[in-house]
Amino acid sequence: MTYQFVEGTVDDIVAVLAFVPEFGNSIKATTIAERLAGKSALILVAKYNKTPIGFKVGYSLNHDEFYSWLGGVTPQHREMKVASQLRQMQESWAVAQGFKAIKVKSMNQFPNMLHMLIASGYHICGYDNNGSTMNSKIAFIKNIAQA
C-alpha cells in the first residue's frame, strides 16, 4: 500500500472534506470552484490505494504571491506527514511558476497547522480579528524567491 501525490480536481477535494471533521461539511464544490475561477490554481491530492485522503489547494494572488488557501488530511493518515509532503510539493510548484512568496492563514484552533507553518519557515505577518482568539486568523508568509 503506497501513497501517491498527484494534481487533482475539485471532486477530489470534496471527497476528502467529507472525512475531515474540522470542516464539518461546510465547504461545497461550488464554493471551491468560485474561489478558483479565473486564477492560476493548483490542486494537489494525496491518495492511498487510489482513494483521496488529503489535499492542498491554492491560487495566485498576483504575479509574485501564491495563496495556500485550503488543505486537509483524513484523521487516520495524519501521522504519515501527508500535509507536510503536500506543502513541500506546493512550494516547489510555486517556485517553478516564478512566485516569490506564499501566503497562508490559519487559526489558533488548528495548533498542528501553526506548528508546521512556523517549523517550515513561515513568518507571522498579520492578524484578522474575528471577535475571539479561536476564530481570528493568523496570516503567514514565506519568501520562496530563488537567490
Side-chain angles (χ1 to χ4, degrees):
M1 311 305 166
T2 60
Y3 288 93
Q4 181 183 28
F5 296 87
V6 298
E7 287 195 34
T9 66
V10 171
D11 288 339
D12 291 326
I13 295 171
V14 172
V16 175
L17 283 172
F19 297 98
V20 177
E22 292 86 351
F23 292 111
N25 293 318
S26 62
I27 301 171
K28 306 296 180 206
T30 53
T31 304
I32 299 165
E34 287 170 5
R35 178 70 73 103
L36 302 180
K39 297 179 177 102
S40 174
L42 175 66
I43 298 172
L44 291 172
V45 176
K47 295 184 177 187
Y48 183 74
N49 294 336
K50 300 183 182 179
T51 300
I53 54 90
F55 72 92
K56 191 113 179 102
V57 60
Y59 54 85
S60 61
L61 290 172
N62 55 52
H63 179 72
D64 292 330
E65 297 175 322
F66 186 81
Y67 184 63
S68 182
W69 174 46
L70 196 60
V73 176
T74 59
Q76 62 269 39
H77 295 276
R78 290 183 182 170
E79 297 302 316
M80 304 306 294
K81 305 292 183 197
V82 171
S84 290
Q85 291 178 69
L86 289 167
R87 178 195 49 78
Q88 290 169 352
M89 292 176 67
Q90 185 182 66
E91 289 176 5
S92 294
W93 179 90
V95 167
Q97 300 302 307
F99 290 103
K100 304 210 178 350
I102 296 180
K103 290 186 170 182
V104 62
K105 292 181 181 178
S106 192
M107 296 186 273
N108 283 323
Q109 62 181 312
F110 304 124
N112 290 339
M113 180 67 168
L114 299 176
H115 291 282
M116 182 181 72
L117 289 169
I118 291 169
S120 302
Y122 285 78
H123 295 207
I124 295 171
C125 64
Y127 185 77
D128 298 338
N129 188 342
N130 293 327
S132 76
T133 58
M134 292 307 281
N135 291 321
S136 296
K137 294 185 179 180
I138 304 162
F140 293 85
I141 190 167
K142 182 175 184 178
N143 180 356
I144 58 169
Q146 297 297 302

